[in-house]
Amino acid sequence: MSMTNDDLRLIATTVRTLSLDAIQRANSGHPGMALGCADIAAVLWGKFLVHNPEDNRWANRDRFVLSAGHGSMLLYSLLHLFGYGITLEDIKKFRQLESRTPGHPEHRVTRGVETTTGPLGQGFANGIGMAIARDLFAREFNGGSEPVIDHRVYAIVSDGDIMEGISSEAASLAGHLGLGHLVYIYDSNGITIEGSTDLTFSEDVAKKFEAFHWHVQRIDGHDFDEIERALEAAERETARPSLIIARTTIARGSASMEGRCESHGAPLGEKEVFATKENLGCCGDDAFCVPDRAYQACAARTAEMKDRYDRWQARFVREITGDKKALWDRYFTAPAIDALRQKLPVFDPQKPIATRAASGKILEALFREMPNLVGGSADLGPSNNTLVKGYDETGRGTVGRNIHFGIREHAMGSIQNGIAYYGGFIPYSATFFTFMDYMRPAVRIAAIGGLQAVYVFTHDSVFVGEDGPTHQPVEHLAAARAIPNLDVVRPADAEETREAWLHALGRTEGPTLLALSRQNLPVLRSNGSSPRDLARGAYVLRGTDGDPDVVILASGSEVSISLEAAEILATEGIAARVVSFPSWEIFDRQPAEYRMAVLGHGIPKAVVEAGIRMGWDRYAGVHALYITRDDFGESAPYKVLAERYGFTGQGVAERIRGFVKKKTRK
Amino acid sequence: MSMTNDDLRLIATTVRTLSLDAIQRANSGHPGMALGCADIAAVLWGKFLVHNPEDNRWANRDRFVLSAGHGSMLLYSLLHLFGYGITLEDIKKFRQLESRTPGHPEHRVTRGVETTTGPLGQGFANGIGMAIARDLFAREFNGGSEPVIDHRVYAIVSDGDIMEGISSEAASLAGHLGLGHLVYIYDSNGITIEGSTDLTFSEDVAKKFEAFHWHVQRIDGHDFDEIERALEAAERETARPSLIIARTTIARGSASMEGRCESHGAPLGEKEVFATKENLGCCGDDAFCVPDRAYQACAARTAEMKDRYDRWQARFVREITGDKKALWDRYFTAPAIDALRQKLPVFDPQKPIATRAASGKILEALFREMPNLVGGSADLGPSNNTLVKGYDETGRGTVGRNIHFGIREHAMGSIQNGIAYYGGFIPYSATFFTFMDYMRPAVRIAAIGGLQAVYVFTHDSVFVGEDGPTHQPVEHLAAARAIPNLDVVRPADAEETREAWLHALGRTEGPTLLALSRQNLPVLRSNGSSPRDLARGAYVLRGTDGDPDVVILASGSEVSISLEAAEILATEGIAARVVSFPSWEIFDRQPAEYRMAVLGHGIPKAVVEAGIRMGWDRYAGVHALYITRDDFGESAPYKVLAERYGFTGQGVAERIRGFVKKKTRK
């Protein structure tokens, strides 16, 4: 029993009228896309997408990504019709405070929303991450008599998504990997905010995607039969990702706004909404009206899907047994951090090692323990120490736990988000810290969406050296710390690096960034502190017998330099406490008492960090001594730069000596 | 008299040996690309590129961009050979502190270097900005009997450049605009850091660029004749940009490292360098050896170009006369700020206006006064108020002062840099402040390179409202302020907006960011302060008769809210000074005395800003009251959010009342 075209028309009309009413009531929103894509959405949701509104985390559900997130009312209308618990009351609260229907879809806010979208191009790359996760998952768990994972990933993408560079990056990789269960429908309406896409966008999109090795079709996006045939053909194509270029009319069905850019981002107005509803065969005066027949058609589809769901559950019980079941459960169980620690390397205090290298060794051990840890670098694997030997790698037509992202940082970040959205996996990505800038939009969405993602950002200061200012992060620690819900951790040595990884793996409520050194660092321990104190964000690494004369706050590679300085100062009778301060965010979550005990009260403070001062005043105060680097770096060997900028034991000791004397004179 | 293939071979060999020696001596660098591209570079510089080493700012010189900036030794070798004043001593100091030969090319450091490159994709888009500037410039000044501007823009781009999304954005726009004097040579060596490009990169690059409407050729990048013929064909093509896909072997000419990814980013080692020099027909023991014949060949080419230069100067004198000469001079003269101010709007204190709308009116007036002010938005023109009516716009096959960048923020930023590198123009770009993240790498390079660029970033806080957290900047002010040499200015009203623009236009040593409101704001003036005080970064907008009880520091839309609060508090006997604080960077450059006078000493402080607190501690201290937004925003009408987060006159007054009372009790 399949939906008739009449049913589809009814669903499309309902999507249109609900969207119009909600946007008009909110007096804010984007009607053009919701109207223009309603026909496509009706066919996709009415006849193809397989899901179960009662179990929205079903592992084998088809994923649906609305990359053009501004068309949120399209999605909310569908979620309402298909019984995801979005009520008409919710829809009436579109774009209102604490509603379940925010302006752009938010994965954490609304049941059934798979991705947080809005910033263009993000959803496009998220879907590719989901498809990678899907293929990894299928490879792990299929292979019995029947496949357990055989779903698809669908997305609706817009002109804006296609224009953004991230989508070219992601599409190129998707074509390379041969993600054959990915079906994207491109809502080609020819309209952007500034007017016709002809203003700036005349590329041959079909040819471009063919160059990326995609399967490309072109259709009329308002013809149910064409849409259906194209989706069927896309289903049959399992070796390449599919792009269906659907020519649509923005604001389709509106009384007088069809094809006009003004319909993109603003309500159509009471009059036009009335006229449009009449035009669509509805009563212009009825608001938020859903015909019973629309509910019935969707319920019939849901029942049909429920059968498939039940059959899948039976299949799952047959196929996923014994070791396979245990493995499956490991994907969906948070790692036991203390047990995991036992399996990780302990580092020899006699052997200096760069924290990026330590991270590489830790990652190797983690790969053995956690089958669901996957990721890679944007072509800097050998420098980031993120490629784990002995495990499979992505390649032409194949996925692997080691993902070669290519020189595509932005897509990497959003693909990582897609893998995290998918569920079951913990994804990591890697590049030089300075190139975090290339993927910042993706990091921000991971933080908004509360995704568990790990960033391995190496070469974390001017100590990059010869490569010079373009490759030396100076403001990046500050800029990363600025992002809410992102834990930034800059370990001081190999031992802290292990703990930083464990922190990241234990943190399910958001992403964690590891800032790691290029250069070798001593493995530190003293005064009975433990690297596990990293879990407090900051701790006293070197105490003093009595009250200290100065408290030095330092992170990463500057901690060992500060310890050196403290030893020098000790010989001169200046008692320096050294605080290893790997993470502001973690420290801020500690009780005030603890924080006060670490920082001390009324004791002169010095901050030593090879980055800008910004933000440290909160911990050290305006009158502290700042040994920081507040301008871009220079191209030179890193030891030369360390001398020049004063980041040596002697250099720091000298500055602190003068500072303490001045304070004492006062 | 043209160079023979023997001459070309000699130049290529010299580029190779100089690069090898310099990298080996520095024990750091990227030999693979310098060797692999030496043949292409020899033909391009030996027979095509037209320039004058004695006048490296010649307006009609061909521009050369080394987008693959890691091949810097290639460029330094050429600059040495062609007499740009780079000596062998300079080359021996490759990658050393304060040398003229830093690790990656830096536009401000080395004469003859047109662009700061290294971060991949940047140079690719910079060249497109240069070509846009070239066409704008040609359109303005050609049209007499002979064209005054008839040069080309050349670049060498790498696999990494092509993989980065920014290049797809920029290439799509370049093809759309029909930039026919752009010639890119793609060094397709099939190797990246992680290994063969086959790992991640199998797209059909030729087809992709054809889809972007480029003229595409494929050649053997080591065959002088093929390279020459392809460059000739590219010269003949004047309606489309040209891409020459040159198949090359990385580390070409090396004894045993040809085609190996290990040659990309590390010295080859003494032994291999010796063997390679022998292999190239040189003496293995000779370091930094340049045959006289190589100098002679280059000098002959330079003399030939000098003739062309002299003929151009004569042509210039004939063609550019009278009004045209006056216009030309306006391009190359910094604007007289005070005179300019007289031409700009003054805003009615009775009429609230969003600072983005005020900016739009100011920009209109500026367009009339400054023919060299060009720019546009990434498809948000109507929201950013950046499209100036009555002036020409870019379109298919045509450039205009109003540039429609399309939904391509990253390319926009780097194209803007290219226009700034070109000289004569002051470029601006625009998007929502939250999407600065998409173009952050370009902003950073503008700051490193000291480029005069203006960013018009509107919708500058959670007061974006309904669009929700993905569209609401909260950490962006902090993250922007973190970038060294970027002036961030957040004007409080329309009058300050005018002054902010004037600041940006007067600042030639780096970029300026204007953070502007979506919502209407009152036009403020009181206590004899002047909007021109913006030039001091912060100033007392509302003073008090005696010492204030509290000093409120606020920026942008929170200034008027703070004034409201101050009025409320005044009725209760609490004297509040209100400081409008549009720019930290400008304020930091003021004398300590002034700064102290504005901030006050020992007076309780409150900070009111609809963004994160980070960094404000430096001005207000740890014990200040912070009325900030330290988490992501929410989707709701902005007035609802203002209430919720306490950004109203009443809300601020209430918080300050409690704060002052607590302080007084102490």
Side-chain angles (χ1 to χ4, degrees):
Chain A
M1 189 203 67
S2 180
M3 282 207 189
T4 64
N5 279 1
D6 280 348
D7 293 332
L8 296 174
R9 198 163 297 116
L10 191 64
I11 290 172
T13 297
T14 307
V15 165
R16 288 187 169 104
T17 57
L18 280 180
S19 299
L20 283 175
D21 287 334
I23 291 164
Q24 196 58 43
R25 187 181 177 111
N27 197 25
S28 171
H30 300 76
M33 193 267 180
L35 270 64
C37 272
D39 300 319
I40 291 164
V43 179
L44 178 58
W45 280 64
K47 304 188 97 160
F48 288 85
L49 198 74
V50 178
H51 54 114
N52 179 0
E54 285 173 19
D55 180 4
N56 69 317
R57 300 302 297 162
W58 176 26
N60 196 41
R61 72 193 183 278
D62 285 340
R63 305 307 199 266
F64 174 72
V65 176
L66 185 69
S67 186
H70 54 270
S72 54
M73 265 314 302
L74 177 89
L75 181 52
Y76 299 145
S77 302
L78 292 164
L79 292 175
H80 170 69
L81 285 169
F82 282 87
Y84 271 86
I86 297 289
T87 65
L88 286 180
E89 282 315 300
D90 290 323
I91 287 179
K92 287 177 189 168
K93 288 188 198 140
F94 180 53
R95 297 190 149 225
Q96 304 308 303
L97 195 61
E98 294 185 337
S99 78
R100 291 199 282 172
T101 50
H104 290 84
E106 293 181 45
H107 147 261
R108 283 212 285 192
V109 170
T110 314
R111 194 167 167 276
V113 168
E114 300 275 3
T115 52
T116 295
T117 52
L120 290 167
Q122 298 300 325
F124 189 105
N126 293 159
I128 286 163
M130 290 175 167
I132 290 173
R134 178 227 175 268
D135 283 3
L136 283 167
F137 210 51
R139 204 190 45 171
E140 186 91 301
F141 291 106
N142 291 352
S145 53
E146 288 175 291
V148 172
I149 298 300
D150 60 358
H151 73 86
R152 288 185 180 74
V153 178
Y154 294 96
I156 294 181
V157 306
S158 64
D159 290 304
D161 290 303
I162 302 279
M163 273 192 248
E164 291 285 3
I166 183 177
S167 65
S168 285
E169 294 179 1
S172 178
L173 184 59
H176 180 78
L177 299 178
L179 302 175
H181 297 86
L182 190 73
V183 181
Y184 278 13
I185 305 166
Y186 164 29
D187 170 35
S188 174
N189 63 27
I191 290 293
T192 66
I193 291 174
E194 294 190 355
S196 161
T197 51
D198 293 349
L199 282 175
T200 59
F201 190 54
S202 53
E203 66 179 51
D204 183 338
V205 173
K207 192 168 178 178
K208 180 172 81 170
F209 276 79
E210 282 164 5
F212 292 147
H213 309 303
W214 285 50
H215 167 238
V216 179
Q217 305 176 73
R218 296 169 194 261
I219 60 163
D220 172 349
H222 300 299
D223 182 316
F224 290 140
D225 297 327
E226 279 196 35
I227 300 167
E228 181 167 353
R229 279 197 301 272
L231 284 167
E232 282 168 355
E235 284 199 351
R236 283 192 301 271
E237 169 65 59
T238 57
R240 291 179 295 171
S242 266
L243 183 74
I244 299 170
I245 302 178
R247 192 74 208 172
T248 63
T249 304
I250 195 168
R252 170 79 166 198
S254 67
S256 69
M257 298 288 283
E258 283 195 357
R260 289 174 54 184
C261 64
E262 296 79 6
S263 73
H264 165 82
L268 301 186
E270 295 286 358
K271 245 187 177 163
E272 175 76 8
V273 168
F274 181 94
T276 296
K277 285 194 278 189
E278 295 277 329
N279 192 38
L280 291 168
C282 307
C283 169
D285 280 327
D286 269 5
F288 303 99
C289 164
V290 182
D292 282 342
R293 276 207 304 126
Y295 285 129
Q296 286 154 11
C298 294
R301 170 73 186 165
T302 304
E304 205 180 290
M305 294 191 296
K306 181 66 166 56
D307 280 350
R308 291 178 66 161
Y309 175 82
D310 292 339
R311 286 199 303 276
W312 183 87
Q313 292 293 352
R315 200 196 316 167
F316 180 82
V317 171
R318 279 194 309 275
E319 296 283 338
I320 304 297
T321 56
D323 286 353
K324 255 196 174 172
K325 180 66 170 64
L327 183 62
W328 179 283
D329 289 341
R330 282 170 75 191
Y331 273 75
F332 295 97
T333 312
I337 297 302
D338 284 331
L340 198 52
R341 180 179 286 108
Q342 304 307 318
K343 310 282 191 174
L344 300 186
V346 172
F347 294 89
D348 182 347
Q350 304 306 314
K351 291 188 184 155
I353 179 173
T355 51
R356 64 172 166 141
S359 167
K361 289 179 191 297
I362 292 157
L363 191 57
E364 263 176 50
L366 289 170
F367 253 53
R368 283 192 296 273
E369 302 303 318
M370 298 179 62
N372 59 336
L373 186 63
V374 301
S377 165
D379 193 47
L380 290 169
S383 297
N384 302 139
N385 299 71
T386 43
L387 193 131
V388 184
K389 282 185 189 138
Y391 292 86
D392 51 4
E393 306 177 17
T394 56
R396 182 86 201 253
T398 173
V399 297
R401 282 181 68 188
N402 281 296
I403 303 173
H404 294 280
F405 287 103
I407 304 171
R408 306 179 179 108
E409 297 83 4
H410 198 177
M412 174 171 70
S414 299
I415 286 171
Q416 179 178 22
N417 288 351
I419 297 172
Y421 285 128
Y422 187 84
F425 292 95
I426 299 180
Y428 66 92
S429 67
T431 185
F432 289 162
F433 195 14
T434 189
F435 299 138
M436 174 187 176
D437 285 353
Y438 274 71
M439 57 188 285
R440 193 170 170 94
V443 175
R444 183 173 206 256
I445 291 198
I448 292 178
L451 299 177
Q452 184 168 21
V454 187
Y455 306 111
V456 182
F457 291 156
T458 70
H459 298 61
D460 68 346
S461 74
V462 288
F463 297 138
V464 164
E466 290 91 342
D467 274 345
T470 54
H471 285 53
Q472 294 165 348
V474 290
E475 77 278 24
H476 295 75
L477 277 168
R481 288 164 178 157
I483 299 176
N485 198 33
L486 170 66
D487 274 9
V488 178
V489 187
R490 188 168 183 242
D493 71 350
E495 288 281 290
E496 278 194 13
T497 304
R498 181 188 60 242
E499 298 304 316
W501 262 106
L502 288 169
H503 174 78
L505 296 172
R507 180 167 196 253
T508 54
E509 59 271 28
T512 302
L513 184 162
L514 311 183
L516 304 175
S517 77
R518 175 193 185 205
Q519 73 277 25
N520 280 343
L521 301 177
V523 178
L524 311 168
R525 247 356 77 196
S526 68
N527 278 31
S529 74
S530 155
R532 294 183 59 171
D533 293 332
L534 178 132
R536 311 213 67 171
Y539 62 96
V540 178
L541 181 62
R542 180 187 191 278
T544 52
D545 285 340
D547 273 349
D549 299 305
V550 63
V551 177
I552 305 176
L553 311 178
S555 78
S557 49
E558 289 70 70
V559 173
S560 50
I561 292 167
S562 300
L563 283 175
E564 260 184 70
E567 295 307 322
I568 295 167
L569 292 167
T571 65
E572 305 166 15
I574 298 173
R577 174 192 296 175
V578 177
V579 173
S580 178
F581 210 140
S583 175
W584 292 2
E585 296 80 11
I586 304 176
F587 186 67
D588 289 348
R589 295 195 284 264
Q590 306 307 309
E593 220 164 70
Y594 176 78
R595 285 183 279 131
M596 190 58 85
V598 168
L599 298 176
H601 191 68
I603 306 167
K605 289 186 187 60
V607 171
V608 188
E609 192 171 71
I612 65 169
R613 163 177 171 174
M614 187 175 164
W616 274 111
D617 292 71
R618 183 163 183 175
Y619 303 100
V622 181
H623 302 295
L625 169 68
Y626 288 91
I627 304 176
T628 52
R629 175 63 191 168
D630 290 292
D631 199 353
F632 295 113
E634 291 157 289
S635 171
Y638 88 84
K639 288 184 178 171
V640 174
L641 292 178
E643 285 290 340
R644 184 179 181 88
Y645 302 148
F647 293 116
T648 61
Q650 285 292 356
V652 168
E654 192 180 318
R655 294 280 306 275
I656 291 180
R657 190 183 302 124
F659 173 70
V660 170
K661 276 188 187 151
K662 220 170 96 187
K663 287 272 169 189
T664 320
R665 274 204 304 276
K666 281 186 184 170
Chain B
M1 187 203 67
S2 181
M3 282 207 190
T4 64
N5 279 1
D6 279 348
D7 292 333
L8 296 174
R9 198 164 296 115
L10 192 64
I11 291 172
T13 297
T14 306
V15 165
R16 288 188 169 103
T17 57
L18 280 179
S19 299
L20 283 175
D21 287 333
I23 291 164
Q24 196 57 44
R25 187 181 179 110
N27 196 24
S28 170
H30 301 76
M33 192 266 179
L35 270 65
C37 273
D39 299 319
I40 291 164
V43 178
L44 179 58
W45 280 63
K47 305 188 93 159
F48 289 85
L49 198 73
V50 178
H51 55 113
N52 178 1
E54 286 172 18
D55 180 5
N56 69 316
R57 301 303 297 163
W58 177 25
N60 196 42
R61 71 193 184 279
D62 285 339
R63 306 307 200 266
F64 174 71
V65 176
L66 184 69
S67 186
H70 54 271
S72 53
M73 265 314 302
L74 177 88
L75 181 52
Y76 300 146
S77 302
L78 292 164
L79 292 175
H80 171 68
L81 285 169
F82 281 87
Y84 270 86
I86 298 288
T87 65
L88 287 179
E89 282 313 301
D90 289 324
I91 287 179
K92 286 177 191 168
K93 289 189 198 139
F94 180 53
R95 298 191 150 226
Q96 303 309 303
L97 195 61
E98 293 185 337
S99 78
R100 290 199 283 172
T101 49
H104 291 83
E106 293 181 45
H107 149 261
R108 282 211 287 191
V109 170
T110 313
R111 193 166 167 277
V113 169
E114 299 274 5
T115 51
T116 296
T117 52
L120 290 167
Q122 298 300 325
F124 189 105
N126 293 159
I128 287 164
M130 290 176 167
I132 290 174
R134 179 228 175 267
D135 283 3
L136 283 167
F137 209 51
R139 205 190 44 171
E140 186 90 303
F141 291 105
N142 290 351
S145 53
E146 289 174 290
V148 171
I149 298 299
D150 60 358
H151 73 85
R152 288 184 180 73
V153 177
Y154 293 96
I156 294 181
V157 306
S158 64
D159 290 304
D161 290 304
I162 302 280
M163 272 192 249
E164 292 284 3
I166 183 177
S167 65
S168 286
E169 294 179 1
S172 178
L173 185 58
H176 180 78
L177 299 178
L179 302 175
H181 297 86
L182 190 73
V183 181
Y184 278 14
I185 305 167
Y186 163 29
D187 170 34
S188 174
N189 63 27
I191 289 295
T192 66
I193 292 174
E194 293 190 356
S196 160
T197 49
D198 293 349
L199 281 175
T200 59
F201 190 54
S202 53
E203 66 179 52
D204 182 337
V205 174
K207 192 168 178 179
K208 182 171 80 170
F209 277 79
E210 282 164 5
F212 292 147
H213 310 304
W214 285 49
H215 167 238
V216 180
Q217 305 176 72
R218 296 169 195 262
I219 60 163
D220 172 350
H222 300 300
D223 181 316
F224 290 140
D225 297 326
E226 279 196 36
I227 300 167
E228 182 168 350
R229 279 197 302 272
L231 284 167
E232 281 168 356
E235 283 199 350
R236 283 192 300 272
E237 170 65 57
T238 57
R240 291 178 295 171
S242 266
L243 183 73
I244 299 170
I245 302 178
R247 192 75 207 172
T248 64
T249 304
I250 195 168
R252 169 79 166 199
S254 67
S256 69
M257 298 290 281
E258 282 195 359
R260 288 175 55 184
C261 63
E262 295 80 5
S263 73
H264 165 80
L268 300 187
E270 296 286 0
K271 246 187 175 163
E272 175 76 8
V273 168
F274 181 94
T276 296
K277 284 195 277 189
E278 295 278 328
N279 192 38
L280 291 169
C282 308
C283 168
D285 280 327
D286 270 3
F288 302 99
C289 165
V290 183
D292 282 341
R293 276 207 303 126
Y295 285 129
Q296 286 155 11
C298 294
R301 170 73 186 164
T302 304
E304 202 180 290
M305 294 191 297
K306 181 67 166 56
D307 281 350
R308 292 179 66 161
Y309 175 81
D310 291 339
R311 287 199 303 278
W312 184 87
Q313 292 294 352
R315 201 197 314 167
F316 180 82
V317 170
R318 279 195 308 277
E319 296 283 338
I320 304 297
T321 56
D323 286 353
K324 257 198 172 171
K325 180 65 169 63
L327 184 61
W328 179 281
D329 289 341
R330 282 171 76 190
Y331 273 75
F332 293 97
T333 312
I337 297 302
D338 284 331
L340 198 53
R341 181 180 287 108
Q342 303 308 318
K343 309 284 189 171
L344 299 187
V346 172
F347 293 90
D348 181 348
Q350 304 306 315
K351 291 188 183 154
I353 179 172
T355 51
R356 63 170 166 143
S359 168
K361 289 179 189 298
I362 293 157
L363 191 57
E364 263 176 50
L366 289 172
F367 253 52
R368 283 192 296 273
E369 302 303 318
M370 299 179 61
N372 58 336
L373 186 64
V374 301
S377 165
D379 193 47
L380 290 169
S383 298
N384 301 140
N385 299 71
T386 42
L387 192 131
V388 183
K389 282 186 190 138
Y391 292 86
D392 51 3
E393 305 178 19
T394 56
R396 184 85 200 254
T398 174
V399 297
R401 284 181 67 188
N402 281 297
I403 303 173
H404 294 281
F405 287 103
I407 305 169
R408 306 178 178 111
E409 297 82 5
H410 197 177
M412 173 170 71
S414 299
I415 286 172
Q416 179 177 22
N417 289 351
I419 297 172
Y421 285 129
Y422 187 84
F425 292 95
I426 300 180
Y428 66 91
S429 67
T431 184
F432 289 161
F433 195 15
T434 190
F435 299 138
M436 174 185 175
D437 285 353
Y438 274 71
M439 56 187 285
R440 194 170 168 92
V443 176
R444 183 172 205 255
I445 291 198
I448 292 179
L451 299 177
Q452 183 168 22
V454 187
Y455 305 112
V456 181
F457 291 156
T458 71
H459 297 61
D460 69 345
S461 73
V462 288
F463 297 139
V464 164
E466 290 91 342
D467 274 345
T470 54
H471 285 54
Q472 293 165 348
V474 289
E475 76 277 25
H476 295 76
L477 277 169
R481 288 164 177 158
I483 299 177
N485 197 33
L486 171 66
D487 275 9
V488 179
V489 187
R490 188 170 184 242
D493 70 350
E495 289 281 290
E496 279 194 12
T497 304
R498 181 187 61 240
E499 299 304 316
W501 261 106
L502 289 168
H503 174 78
L505 296 172
R507 181 166 195 253
T508 54
E509 59 272 29
T512 302
L513 185 163
L514 311 183
L516 303 176
S517 77
R518 175 193 185 206
Q519 73 278 23
N520 280 342
L521 301 177
V523 178
L524 311 168
R525 246 359 75 199
S526 68
N527 277 31
S529 74
S530 156
R532 294 183 59 171
D533 293 332
L534 177 131
R536 313 212 66 171
Y539 62 96
V540 178
L541 180 62
R542 180 187 190 280
T544 52
D545 285 337
D547 272 349
D549 299 306
V550 63
V551 176
I552 306 176
L553 310 178
S555 79
S557 49
E558 287 71 69
V559 173
S560 50
I561 292 167
S562 299
L563 283 175
E564 259 185 70
E567 294 308 320
I568 295 168
L569 292 167
T571 65
E572 304 167 16
I574 297 174
R577 173 190 298 175
V578 177
V579 173
S580 178
F581 211 140
S583 174
W584 293 2
E585 297 80 12
I586 304 176
F587 186 67
D588 289 348
R589 294 195 284 264
Q590 305 308 310
E593 220 163 70
Y594 176 79
R595 285 183 280 131
M596 191 56 87
V598 169
L599 298 176
H601 190 69
I603 307 166
K605 288 186 187 63
V607 171
V608 187
E609 191 171 72
I612 65 169
R613 163 178 170 173
M614 189 177 165
W616 273 111
D617 293 70
R618 184 164 185 175
Y619 303 99
V622 182
H623 302 294
L625 170 68
Y626 288 91
I627 304 175
T628 52
R629 175 63 192 170
D630 291 293
D631 199 353
F632 295 113
E634 291 158 287
S635 170
Y638 89 84
K639 289 186 177 170
V640 174
L641 293 179
E643 285 289 340
R644 184 179 181 88
Y645 303 147
F647 293 116
T648 62
Q650 285 291 355
V652 169
E654 191 180 319
R655 294 280 306 276
I656 290 180
R657 189 183 303 124
F659 173 71
V660 171
K661 276 188 188 153
K662 222 170 97 186
K663 288 271 168 189
T664 321
R665 273 204 306 276
K666 280 184 183 171

